[in-house]
Amino acid sequence: MKLTNLEIWIANPNLQTLSQQKLPIRTSFALVKLSQALKSHLEAIEETRKILVNKFGTPDEKTGQPAIAPNTPAMEAFSAEGLELLKGEVEVDFKDKIRLPEKVAATCDKCPHNMDRMLEIEPAILLALDKFVELPS
């Protein structure tokens, strides 16, 4: 699957949020495999972002860590190169979308009774993971 670095970058925190849901084993396994497929790309994006911060930033007086002040020529240059980084495309070994279940196992709030409940996911998470997940019909 061909993805931009931006799609990978945006998917990561949303994938982590979705991974905290109690899902069927096949869905959970597919999420783990997707996380693994994206991991090396995320590490490369983050390493390159750090290089850009070091390139355009100046050491903070308190922490000594490089920082880039907003509304400065350094921030403009950082943003331009960062945008080029995020536009980059990579091939990710991920073929089939992950089919999300309509319902997941849960326990009644008032007793230990097991039951199914509707899987609730925030729209922003689904938007960020659109290329990776499929909703039940």
Side-chain angles (χ1 to χ4, degrees):
M1 173 183 286
K2 189 169 275 205
L3 299 169
T4 66
N5 288 331
L6 179 61
E7 290 170 325
I8 294 170
W9 183 260
I10 290 173
N12 185 51
N14 294 289
L15 184 59
Q16 300 308 318
T17 300
L18 183 58
S19 294
Q20 293 175 13
Q21 294 282 332
K22 290 182 180 178
L23 298 167
I25 191 69
R26 287 181 190 224
T27 306
S28 295
F29 183 70
L31 288 171
V32 168
K33 296 295 282 182
L34 176 58
S35 292
Q36 290 175 341
L38 298 179
K39 184 178 179 180
S40 64
H41 299 290
L42 284 164
E43 290 171 351
I45 294 166
E46 179 60 19
E47 189 62 35
T48 306
R49 187 196 66 79
K50 286 178 183 178
I51 290 169
L52 291 176
V53 169
N54 286 326
K55 178 179 177 180
F56 295 108
T58 54
D60 182 85
E61 293 176 8
K62 295 178 185 176
T63 65
Q65 297 294 319
I68 305 170
N71 302 317
T72 62
M75 178 55 84
E76 288 179 25
F78 171 78
S79 295
E81 287 197 33
L83 184 58
E84 285 301 311
L85 167 65
L86 294 176
K87 284 181 180 179
E89 290 186 336
V90 294
E91 190 68 33
V92 176
D93 185 21
F94 180 76
K95 296 172 186 86
D96 299 323
K97 287 189 172 191
I98 299 168
R99 183 159 174 78
L100 296 177
E102 187 173 342
K103 294 182 179 184
V104 292
T107 305
C108 177
D109 292 336
K110 298 178 183 176
C111 68
H113 178 76
N114 291 331
M115 58 186 221
D116 288 342
R117 69 169 175 79
M118 299 301 287
L119 176 61
E120 297 176 350
I121 302 172
E122 296 173 15
I125 292 173
L126 290 175
L127 183 62
L129 299 176
D130 182 53
K131 283 196 165 191
F132 307 103
V133 298
E134 180 180 306
L135 300 177
S137 48

